[in-house]
Structures are given as structure tokens and as C-alpha cells.
Amino acid sequence: ILFVTGYLSSLFCCRRSPPPMISILTTRTTLFLIHLSTTARSLTTLPHPSPMISPFDPAQLLRVSTILFQLQHSPFPKLLIRLQNTRFELTHEFFLQICNKFPLSWRPVYRFYEFTLTGQPEFTHTTLTLNRMLDVIAKSRNMDLLWETVNDMARRGLADGKTVTVAVRGFAKARELKKCVEVFDLMRKNGFECDVSVLNAVVESLRKDRLVDEAKHVVVKLRDWIKPDLETYKCLICGFCDRGDMVEGSKMWNAMADDGFEAHVEVSDKMMETLFKKNEFGEGLKLFQMMRVRRMEELGASTYRLAIGWLCNKGKIGEARAVFDEMLERGIPPDNVTLGSMVYGLVSKNRIREAYLIMERIRDPDISVYHGLIKGLLRVKRAGEATEVFREMIRKGIEPIMHTYVMLLQGHLGKKGRKGRDPLVNFDTIFVGGLVKAGKCLEATKYVERVMGRGSEVPRFDYNKFLHYYSNEEGVAMFQEVEKKLREVGLFDLADIFVRSFSSGESQPRGGSLIPTNLSLDCIILGCTNIWDTD
């Protein structure tokens, strides 16, 4: 555009007649091009914005990273000469960025570290830079280099608690349990005393990486030197509970009691929750009763919330009501999660009037209370009333989440095809039935043949994937058409759920999208209406 406008300007200034091609242009087009040229000139005269201040140059970082990647297997003198001939400013931030470029490859990072020792003698490393390099070496599973680097850092006095944590985690992932213990002995020989706080940091790091057996080994081996405290036992018990190993968790509980420590309420809650999840409901209740007898004054809202929630899920509404009353007598105000559990328990036992009385007394109900009511109504096969609660929740300004739509769709269409009135109803049967009802027998036959050719069981309908794949900008318009067709066949509740789900943006996709054709859409709707007609 700038070239054409410049050419036009030169023609006007020289008072020459325009060539035939230029004369075709209208006056409006010429004025538009002149306007673009003046705008471009004004933009070129504006001062350039000052570059953002950064501790390193991205271009230099890319250049050095490329050299390190290309020459990582070359002789070191060749790499040294290449880096010395490359202009870049070596700072601590630059070294950290090099480590970030190669988070799982030790060779480029360590060779750049050797260059800083040889080619840049004025540059001094800190504990931060060496710990970052140590983390890269540990993640790349180079155990010999890891041990050598830890020895060098301890000898130079640059090791700290983070160094111990990174080194032990690296050796633990490689099952080098002897090295895990030797790291602590190495630090002590070089003047860095590891106390119980360092041990707790190591145990917590190993627990997060699901290395609780290795953490227990370290604690046992260091027991004569570093005495574990309550925090140490808490991390170990929670780690075994996360893994579902109640035998080892109980052993740690007994060892904690032998050392004279009283279990924290958080540890007791974790043990009780794990017992409930492993279907050891009786053992979980025994633990709760023991806490009520021995440590009643320490029980808080979290313990009551956990016990009431599981009692209501198991249908023991009488015991849940007794625990709830005890909670109120002690002056502990129940939160909305606890009230939602009570509402669900009452509705699931067809005590709907009592549940609504509790709902009326709640000042600021949130989505957890409505979820309890909706879930209970769906369990007693009152999907229409659950949809009315859904509408009331929206009118009060409480936005539903993905779980809300999944519950309602399962209530109306069956839980993944398993809990409908017809046990054979799933997504494939609905789709094939819609094809047959639409007169597409050939397509139905091809689909059945393709399903049988998979050599596996027909997959159940997953509402989470359904909401994920079929929700984007084009999907919103598509499901507006779904709403119209559902209303035409009398499925008003299902239409409201669909249109609300895909118009609120709650189920926007995080990855790719999959938009069905009009044929598949019509067949799904026809299949659903066919099921309702037969029911």
C-alpha cells in the first residue's frame, strides 16, 4: 500500500497523466490510499517505546541455549571457544534461565557450569544457582554427578536445607536409600548441622512425590541422631493415608504415641477420612467415638463436617442428627457444607419437608446446600423437582458449576446409562434408536458394525466428556436448536438444563472441540424421545 501511494504521489507532483491502470481507480479509493500513507508516516514519526527492563536478553539466552544444545556432546575446548566468541552478559539470572531451558537434561547445564568456572573466573556462584543446577541433575537421574556436586557444594560451604531436600529427593526417586542417609552425614562432616526442621522439609517433599516409604526409611535411620517430632509423624501418617496404606499409617500412629506425642486433630481427621474411603466405616466411627471421649474439647467444625457427611452418605440420618445436635450444643456453628450433607440425608430418606425447613432457616445458602438438595431429589427419582431447585438457585444469583449440570443430566438421562429405568439404555442404544426412528437404517447398521468391530464392550455415556467436547461458540448455537426440539417433544426441564449449561460458559472447552452433525443431533433427540415414549 505504501508503494502504491508513493507512486501516486509522485505522479501528482510531476503533473503527468496517470497510466491507464491508475485511471481506473475511483476517487474514493485514491483518497483511502492517501489516508493510509499519511497514517503510516505519522506512525513512523512516533517515538519507539522503551524496551522492557529485563535482567537478561532473550536473544542472548536463545543463542547460548542453541550452542549448548548443539555442542553438548562435543569436546569441551570446542564448546569453550564457541561460548567465548559469543557475546552475552553472564549473571545469576541468566544462569537460572539456562537451567530452566533444560529442566531434565543435565549435560547442557553442567557444561555451561564448567564454562563459568573456566571461561568466566570472575563469576561466582551462589547457593541459589547451585541448587537449581542440582535439581536438574537429580531429575535427569545422574546419580554419580549428583553425589559429586553435593560433595562439592558441602565442601565449599554453599549447601543449605534446600540442597539436602533436592539431593535426598533425587536419590529417593532412584531408590538410592543409602545415599539418602549419607547426605545428612556429609552435611554434618562439613559443618552444616541438619536439625529436625530440615528433616521435616525432606519428609514433606518426599510425601508430595509419593515417596513415603523412602521418607520412613530416612526417619528410622536418623532416629538416633535427629529425633522426629509431631510434624514428622504427621507428614508420614498423611502420606500413608494418601496412599491408602492403613497398616503403615497405624504403625506410625503407634510410634508417635510411644514417643509421647498426642495426635493432632488434622491427623485424626485424615485417618478417619481414609477409613471411610476404604469402606471401613465401622473403624472410622470407632476413631470418631474415641476422639469424642478423650479429646472432646479439641474437636472442631472440620471433624464434625467429615463425620456428618459420611453418616448422611451411608443413610444413617439418625446418628448424623445426633452428631449435628451435639455440634450445636457445643456452640460450633455449622457451615454450608455440613448443612448440605444434612439436607441430602433427609431428602434421601424421603423426609423432604424437614429438608426444606432447614433450607428456609439458612441465611446465606451457597452452592453446596443446593447440591445436597438436588442430589437427594435425584436419588428419590424426583428429577423435575430437582430442576425447579436448579432454577431457583439461578434466580438467587448462585452460578452452577460443571458438577451441577452433570448431576441433572444423569438424573434425567440415567447415570452413564446404568441407572435408568431400562438397564440397557446407554449412549449407543439412544443413538441407534434415533437412527432407526429417523429412517436411517443403513447408517444404524454401519454404526453397529463399527461398534462390534472394536472388540470391546460398548462404552457408557460420559456426561463430563459430552459437556467438554460439545461446548464452544458453534456448540452454543447448536444447543439452542436442541432446546427448541426438546421443547417440541415436551422435555422442558432437559431443555432448560442444556441451554443454561452451554450459554453460561461453564463448560467451555480447554482443548479441541468436536461438533456433531445435524444427523447425529437429530438422532440423539429422537432416541431420547423414544425412551420417554416407551417409559
Side-chain angles (χ1 to χ4, degrees):
I1 293 173
L2 295 176
F3 174 78
V4 174
T5 52
Y7 181 60
L8 288 174
S9 302
S10 62
L11 289 176
F12 293 151
C13 295
C14 295
R15 298 180 182 178
R16 294 179 182 177
S17 59
M21 182 183 68
I22 303 297
S23 61
I24 299 175
L25 297 173
T26 60
T27 306
R28 182 177 300 178
T29 307
T30 306
L31 294 175
F32 176 70
L33 293 174
I34 295 174
H35 171 70
L36 284 179
S37 65
T38 56
T39 306
R41 292 195 190 99
S42 63
L43 290 175
T44 55
T45 57
L46 291 176
H48 294 285
S50 58
M52 192 170 82
I53 299 175
S54 177
F56 65 93
D57 187 0
Q60 295 179 0
L61 177 64
L62 179 61
R63 191 180 305 116
V64 174
S65 301
T66 305
I67 294 173
L68 292 173
F69 178 76
Q70 293 176 347
L71 302 180
Q72 58 179 323
H73 297 285
S74 301
F76 181 71
K78 182 178 180 180
L79 177 64
L80 180 63
I81 295 174
R82 185 69 178 275
L83 290 176
Q84 287 177 345
N85 295 333
T86 304
R87 297 182 57 183
F88 65 93
E89 183 181 359
L90 180 59
T91 60
H92 295 99
E93 180 65 25
F94 190 86
F95 186 85
L96 295 175
Q97 292 299 325
I98 289 292
C99 296
N100 293 335
K101 285 288 185 180
F102 305 97
L104 301 176
S105 180
W106 66 269
R107 196 181 301 273
V109 175
Y110 190 74
R111 303 205 74 181
F112 187 68
Y113 168 71
E114 293 179 332
F115 164 76
T116 59
L117 298 178
T118 306
Q120 299 286 340
E122 67 279 357
F123 179 77
T124 57
H125 281 277
T126 62
T127 303
L128 179 62
T129 57
L130 293 179
N131 283 340
R132 186 67 186 92
M133 182 185 68
L134 192 71
D135 185 56
V136 175
I137 297 173
K139 289 179 179 178
S140 60
R141 299 295 181 90
N142 191 337
M143 297 297 105
D144 295 334
L145 184 59
L146 178 61
W147 180 251
E148 179 184 343
T149 307
V150 172
N151 274 275
D152 182 66
M153 292 178 62
R155 186 177 61 255
R156 294 164 59 182
L158 295 176
D160 60 355
K162 181 68 174 177
T163 309
V164 179
T165 302
V166 172
V168 173
R169 184 174 62 231
F171 288 124
K173 289 182 178 180
R175 294 293 297 174
E176 295 281 350
L177 301 182
K178 185 177 179 181
K179 293 289 185 182
C180 294
V181 181
E182 289 178 355
V183 169
F184 288 88
D185 188 51
L186 175 66
M187 295 299 165
R188 182 175 60 175
K189 291 180 180 179
N190 288 273
F192 180 75
E193 292 294 335
C194 296
D195 54 2
V196 68
S197 62
V198 178
L199 178 63
N200 290 339
V202 171
V203 173
E204 179 65 21
S205 177
L206 295 178
R207 183 184 73 86
K208 290 180 179 179
D209 290 338
R210 297 183 179 275
L211 300 172
V212 64
D213 287 327
E214 290 78 2
K216 177 186 175 182
H217 177 81
V218 172
V219 172
V220 171
K221 290 297 182 180
L222 298 176
R223 186 181 184 88
D224 297 334
W225 172 27
I226 304 176
K227 293 292 183 181
D229 60 356
L230 182 60
E231 186 68 22
T232 311
Y233 286 113
K234 172 187 172 183
C235 294
L236 290 174
I237 293 173
C238 292
F240 284 116
C241 288
D242 291 335
R243 200 176 66 180
D245 192 349
M246 295 305 302
V247 175
E248 292 294 333
S250 301
K251 290 181 180 180
M252 289 294 101
W253 182 287
N254 296 332
M256 177 180 61
D258 294 339
D259 287 347
F261 295 109
E262 191 73 21
H264 195 268
V265 176
E266 183 179 352
V267 180
S268 304
D269 291 348
K270 189 68 176 179
M271 287 282 290
M272 187 166 57
E273 183 181 7
T274 307
L275 289 171
F276 288 151
K277 288 182 178 180
K278 290 180 67 65
N279 292 327
E280 298 180 8
F281 192 75
E283 296 296 328
L285 284 182
K286 288 181 181 179
L287 179 59
F288 177 65
Q289 294 294 338
M290 183 189 69
M291 294 175 61
R292 293 172 66 186
V293 173
R294 298 182 181 179
R295 307 172 61 183
M296 175 65 78
E297 66 280 355
E298 298 182 11
L299 295 184
S302 61
T303 308
Y304 283 108
R305 182 193 312 121
L306 180 63
I308 291 173
W310 280 95
L311 285 171
C312 292
N313 288 335
K314 293 294 182 178
K316 299 180 180 296
I317 189 62
E319 299 179 16
R321 188 59 182 267
V323 175
F324 184 77
D325 293 338
E326 176 187 311
M327 180 181 179
L328 296 179
E329 290 177 1
R330 293 189 56 209
I332 301 176
D335 55 1
N336 286 328
V337 178
T338 308
L339 294 173
S341 300
M342 288 297 301
V343 169
Y344 167 73
L346 291 171
V347 176
S348 62
K349 292 297 183 180
N350 282 319
R351 298 164 63 176
I352 301 177
R353 182 175 299 178
E354 298 180 33
Y356 277 109
L357 289 176
I358 295 178
M359 287 285 297
E360 293 175 357
R361 296 175 183 175
I362 301 176
R363 295 183 179 179
D364 297 320
D366 60 0
I367 194 170
S368 60
V369 179
Y370 284 100
H371 273 185
L373 184 56
I374 292 174
K375 183 180 177 181
L377 290 172
L378 293 176
R379 183 168 181 176
V380 296
K381 308 299 182 182
R382 302 177 71 164
E385 191 172 349
T387 309
E388 289 297 331
V389 175
F390 170 73
R391 296 190 183 101
E392 180 66 23
M393 179 180 69
I394 295 175
R395 283 194 294 267
K396 290 187 176 181
I398 301 175
E399 287 296 327
I401 59 176
M402 176 71 76
H403 183 57
T404 314
Y405 300 116
V406 172
M407 281 196 307
L408 290 170
L409 289 176
Q410 289 176 352
H412 283 277
L413 298 176
K415 189 175 182 180
K416 296 187 179 180
R418 299 176 190 267
K419 291 190 177 180
R421 297 184 181 179
D422 187 355
L424 299 178
V425 170
N426 54 37
F427 180 74
D428 282 346
T429 56
I430 292 175
F431 186 68
V432 172
L435 284 171
V436 174
K437 192 171 182 178
K440 307 291 183 180
C441 296
L442 180 60
E443 288 82 354
T445 305
K446 291 180 179 180
Y447 182 77
V448 172
E449 290 177 353
R450 184 159 57 92
V451 170
M452 295 176 63
R454 289 198 296 240
S456 59
E457 184 184 358
V458 176
R460 302 294 181 176
F461 184 41
D462 193 338
Y463 294 98
N464 288 288
K465 292 182 180 179
F466 177 71
L467 294 175
H468 174 75
Y469 289 141
Y470 292 80
S471 57
N472 56 12
E473 295 178 357
E474 299 178 0
V476 172
M478 180 191 67
F479 276 98
Q480 290 177 354
E481 185 67 22
V482 173
E483 178 202 7
K484 296 178 182 178
K485 294 188 177 183
L486 289 174
R487 292 186 187 279
E488 290 176 0
V489 296
L491 303 178
F492 299 101
D493 293 340
L494 197 58
D496 290 342
I497 296 170
F498 270 117
V499 71
R500 176 65 188 180
S501 171
F502 293 97
S503 63
S504 62
E506 180 60 39
S507 55
Q508 290 300 318
R510 298 175 180 84
S513 60
L514 179 63
I515 299 300
T517 61
N518 292 331
L519 174 62
S520 62
L521 181 61
D522 293 337
C523 293
I524 292 172
I525 296 173
L526 287 171
C528 292
T529 56
N530 192 17
I531 292 173
W532 259 272
D533 291 341
T534 57
D535 288 342

